[in-house]
Structures are given as C-alpha cells and as structure tokens.
C-alpha cells in the first residue's frame, strides 16, 4: 500500500479519475467534467495564490488533499488546516494512512486542528453526506458512500459543523405571508432585476460586495478576492439563467443577491465526465429535461435585513421558475445554527432532507 505525493501529470490524472472507480456502479453519481477538474487543480485556480495544497494517492485504493489556507488562518485567527477531495475504498487501514499523511503535513506547519472535507474551502463543496444516500446530489453538492463517515470517526474525528439542505416542491402560489412581506419590501423602494449578461463583470463585482458583506460573520467564511471572483464567474457563466440570478437594489445600490442554478448534474450523469461530440449531443438533450433548481447563493447586506428583501427576491424568482416549468428547489447549504435562514426556508415550505457533516480532530 504505497502512498505517493502527486506531482507528475500522470499522477494528477490518476488522482482526478480515481472517483470513477469508487462510483462506477452508482447511478446517482454525477462525475464532474475531467477538463473542469484539471483546471481546478492547476495554477489557474487563484485559490493557490494564498494556499498550499498537496495531493496524495494510494493507487486503486484512495486519495486525499492536505490544504493550508493562509487566508482562513489570518481571517479567523485559528491554527486550522484542512483535508479535502477524500475518496477511499471501505478499508479503515487505507483511510488511516490517508488521514495520517495529512495530519503529519499539517503538524509540520504547527497547525493545531485538522478539519474537513473542504474542496477547497467553504466557498466550494464541503462536508460528507450524512443522510439521504438514496437521493441524487444536485449541482456542486457533496455525494459519497455512507461509510466515509465511519472512516472519519474511526480515525478519531468528531463533528465540527453540520450543513443542511432543504427541498421545496414548487406550488401553484407562494404562501400569503411571503407575498405580504415582499409587498412591504416594495413599499420601501426595493426593486429586483435579473443579472445582466452584457454587464456581467460589473454585476459580479456587485455580487462580491454583497457576498463579502452578508456572509462576513458566517462560520468558516473567507472573503472572495477579485481573482477568485473572476475564476468562479468563468465557471458559472455558462450555466447561469439570467432571470433566475437576481439582484435587489434600493436607490440604484445593490443590496441583495439570489442565484438559482438548474441542476446540471442531470446532464453530467449522461456525459460521464467526458466532453466530445457524443456527450455534447447528450448534454443538449438532457439539459431540456432539467426540472430541479439549486439555490446556490443568497445574500443581503446587514443593514437591509428584516426589510423583506429575501421575500421579494423569492417572489420574483418564483414567477420565473413557474414559467419555465421547474418543479423543485434545493436550498443548500444552510449552517445548522443559521436559524433566521432556516425559518425563511420553512416559511416558504421547504423541508429538511439532507445533512452534510464537517469533521475535525486536534493534532
């Protein structure tokens, strides 16, 4: 059982493709595009501007990444390192070797806690799926065998934080209370508009300002840099539906943002990680059959909360998704202790249906 640090292009390719062996018989798994993953692990990714990442692979058995995120350490003033991109056969000895290697790496840098999984940070996929294993994952959400949680706890890891996912079956109308609150927001001079693809750059800058302000106090949050924003925008632009990516404004100033994305995992399952003429045809076919959305982004500036901005965003988004024939929305993820957002989601009719768990262990 030889563990190697990934360095060559051949090893990086093996690292990226390894999950295909874990999920080869799993019809729910949606493999990311291999080309997209190669970009994620390249120096094009601005995450590497402020982080040290090492990849480790036990060929045919497992993989893991050690992540030292200097911006997290500085922003939160805690000596925490991370593990991510964990995939493993159901063998505690293999997982112990993988987790142990990351633990050693983090100790060398005088870090005191190992936390994860993070792929690469809370701005992206994080956590192990804890329940709902019989349900397909939506776009950019974690998916894993149930035994991953057992492998984590057998290494001595404990719960750090749970993240919730809610599902909402689209009804004919929104609850009266939501409509009433949205009407209140309108009377305060708040308006909603779709993101402009012609002015995409400036609208994404507005999103960054709202995001960094509204999420500032959230557990695990790290502000987006300009380079990270541009990198993320480049990834999301092809799948954005402008009428479902909404900006709230008051007196011309952006104060809130909501991003609903079609669940392109429906397409990725058919493409099987490959981009070629055959899979492009499949993508076109399956993209027309998407009926689910994921509420990926929601943020409201602190001084504009409790003014009905969220209800107004939901109302305008609801009108569009009804016209386009979407049937379900996943609200994810929501911190387990973010009670205000949980109340809003339940008021809309959302039901808790999945939990993701982040683990940690003292070093």
């Amino acid at each position: 059982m030889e563990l190697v640090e990934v360095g060559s292009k051949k090893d990086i390719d093996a690292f990226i493709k390894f999950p295909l062996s874990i999920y080869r018989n799993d019809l729910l798994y949606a493999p990311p595009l291999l080309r997209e993953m190669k970009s994620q692990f390249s120096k094009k990714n601005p995450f590497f501007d402020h982080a040290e990442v090492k990849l480790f692979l036990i060929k045919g058995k497992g993989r893991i990444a050690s992540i030292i995120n200097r911006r997290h350490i500085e922003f939160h003033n805690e000596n925490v390192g991370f593990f991510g991109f964990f995939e493993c056969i159901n063998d505690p000895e293999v997982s112990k070797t993988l987790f142990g290697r990351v633990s050693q790496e983090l100790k060398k840098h005088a870090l005191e806690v190992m936390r994860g999984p993070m792929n690469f940070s809370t701005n992206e996929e994080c956590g192990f799926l804890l329940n709902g294993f019989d349900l397909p994952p939506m776009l950019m959400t974690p998916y894993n065998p149930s035994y991953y949680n057992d492998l984590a706890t057998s290494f001595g890891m404990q719960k750090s934080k749970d993240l919730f996912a809610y599902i909402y079956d689209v009804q004919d109308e929104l609850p009266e209370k939501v409509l009433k609150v949205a009407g209140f927001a309108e009377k305060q001079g708040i308006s909603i508009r779709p993101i402009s693809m012609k002015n995409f750059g400036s609208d994404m800058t507005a999103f960054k300002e709202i995001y960094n302000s509204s999420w500032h106090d959230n557990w695990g949050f790290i502000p987006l840099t300009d380079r990270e924003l541009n990198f993320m925008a480049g990834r999301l632009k092809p799948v954005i539906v402008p009428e479902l990516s909404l900006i709230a404004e008051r007196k011309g100033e952006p104060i809130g943002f909501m991003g609903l994305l079609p669940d392109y995992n429906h397409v990725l399952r058919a493409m099987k990680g490959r981009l070629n003429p055959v899979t492009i045809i499949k993508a076109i076919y399956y993209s027309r059959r998407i009926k689910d959305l994921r509420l990926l982004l929601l943020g409201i500036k602190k001084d504009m909360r409790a003014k009905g901005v969220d209800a107004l965003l939901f109302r305008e988004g609801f009108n569009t998704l009804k016209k386009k024939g979407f049937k379900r929305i996943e609200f994810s993820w929501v911190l387990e202790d973010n009670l205000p957002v949980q109340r809003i989601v339940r008021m809309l009719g959302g039901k808790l249906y999945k939990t993701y768990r982040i683990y940690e262990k003292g070093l």
Side-chain angles (χ1 to χ4, degrees):
M1 189 165 63
E2 181 186 6
L3 183 146
V4 298
E5 182 176 340
V6 171
S8 68
K9 289 184 178 180
K10 182 179 179 180
D11 283 347
I12 291 174
D13 194 57
F15 184 94
I16 290 172
K17 291 179 179 178
F18 176 75
L20 298 177
S21 66
I22 296 289
Y23 303 100
R24 60 180 173 269
N25 297 319
D26 192 333
L27 298 179
L28 300 183
Y29 178 65
L33 291 175
L34 297 176
R35 188 175 70 174
E36 168 73 10
M37 291 305 297
K38 288 180 180 179
S39 175
Q40 281 287 87
F41 287 105
S42 75
K43 293 301 180 181
K44 296 177 184 177
N45 187 343
F47 182 78
F48 293 100
D49 293 348
H50 54 79
E52 182 178 332
V53 178
K54 291 188 177 181
L55 310 179
F56 302 100
L57 178 69
I58 301 175
K59 293 183 180 180
K61 297 182 183 294
R63 74 174 196 183
I64 200 168
S66 72
I67 302 165
I68 300 172
N69 188 340
R70 292 185 293 275
R71 294 196 74 223
H72 178 98
I73 294 169
E74 294 166 4
F75 189 79
H76 291 280
N77 193 29
E78 60 175 356
N79 288 326
V80 173
F82 300 91
F83 74 90
F85 300 97
F86 176 86
E87 302 285 357
C88 187
I89 63 173
N90 192 3
D91 186 330
E93 288 303 312
V94 176
S95 62
K96 181 180 178 181
T97 301
L98 293 167
F99 288 135
R101 185 64 183 83
V102 172
S103 177
Q104 292 172 13
E105 190 67 31
L106 301 182
K107 283 180 181 179
K108 285 196 303 186
H109 291 80
L111 298 175
E112 299 170 353
V113 176
M114 180 172 83
R115 184 180 296 160
M118 299 280 182
N119 302 349
F120 289 98
S121 70
T122 55
N123 291 329
E124 297 165 89
E125 287 184 24
C126 49
F128 284 146
L129 182 66
L130 192 64
N131 54 43
F133 298 101
D134 59 337
L135 301 169
M138 289 207 190
L139 183 69
M140 297 170 66
T141 63
Y143 181 73
N144 53 264
S146 60
Y147 66 79
Y148 279 20
N149 295 280
D150 298 328
L151 295 178
T153 55
S154 69
F155 187 69
M157 293 192 199
Q158 298 179 333
K159 170 188 167 182
S160 177
K161 186 74 70 173
D162 279 353
L163 315 174
F164 293 158
Y166 291 82
I167 197 70
Y168 166 68
D169 293 313
V170 176
Q171 306 297 308
D172 291 336
E173 295 180 353
L174 286 171
E176 185 61 32
K177 185 176 182 180
V178 176
L179 297 175
K180 185 177 180 179
V181 175
F184 170 78
E186 277 186 314
K187 291 178 182 178
Q188 309 305 306
I190 298 168
S191 61
I192 308 295
R193 67 170 176 85
I195 194 170
S196 169
M197 301 309 284
K198 289 184 179 180
N199 301 303
F200 189 72
S202 60
D203 275 357
M204 289 305 295
T205 299
F207 157 73
K208 173 175 169 276
E209 180 188 348
I210 295 166
Y211 178 76
N212 286 347
S213 170
S214 61
W215 281 58
H216 185 275
D217 297 328
N218 280 9
W219 180 88
F221 166 78
I222 307 165
L224 284 171
T225 66
D226 288 339
R227 277 191 19 94
E228 285 177 317
L229 174 74
N230 293 335
F231 187 73
M232 181 183 73
R235 293 174 62 200
L236 293 179
K237 190 173 183 179
V239 297
I240 283 177
V241 178
E243 304 94 321
L244 294 173
S245 296
L246 304 176
I247 296 176
E249 295 179 329
R250 188 181 188 190
K251 297 180 180 179
E253 178 191 354
I255 59 170
F257 189 98
M258 182 176 76
L260 288 159
L261 290 180
D263 179 27
Y264 279 97
N265 273 4
H266 189 67
V267 175
L268 292 174
R269 288 185 193 93
M271 297 181 74
K272 300 188 184 302
R274 304 289 182 180
L275 189 62
N276 55 50
V278 173
T279 60
I280 289 173
I281 292 171
K282 286 184 177 181
I284 294 170
Y285 173 76
Y286 282 101
S287 64
R288 295 169 181 164
R289 300 164 68 89
I290 297 173
K291 297 299 178 184
D292 292 338
L293 294 166
R294 181 185 172 209
L295 179 63
L296 177 65
L297 300 165
L298 176 65
I300 299 163
K301 288 185 176 180
K302 291 181 184 178
D303 59 345
M304 294 304 299
R305 292 174 185 171
K307 295 183 183 295
V309 179
D310 44 12
L312 188 56
L313 284 164
F314 287 136
R315 190 192 73 182
E316 295 305 301
F318 182 85
N319 292 337
T320 299
L321 67 90
K322 285 286 290 184
K323 292 176 184 176
K324 291 183 174 292
F326 290 103
K327 301 299 183 183
R328 297 193 311 164
I329 305 172
E330 179 181 291
F331 298 84
S332 66
W333 42 263
V334 180
L335 286 167
E336 63 175 329
D337 47 10
N338 192 340
L339 301 182
V341 171
Q342 291 178 39
R343 282 194 291 268
I344 293 168
V345 174
R346 288 197 297 268
M347 182 173 69
L348 287 165
K351 297 178 181 178
L352 179 64
Y353 88 133
K354 287 183 183 178
T355 304
Y356 310 106
R357 177 159 292 176
I358 297 171
Y359 292 89
E360 65 179 41
K361 180 183 180 180
L363 299 175

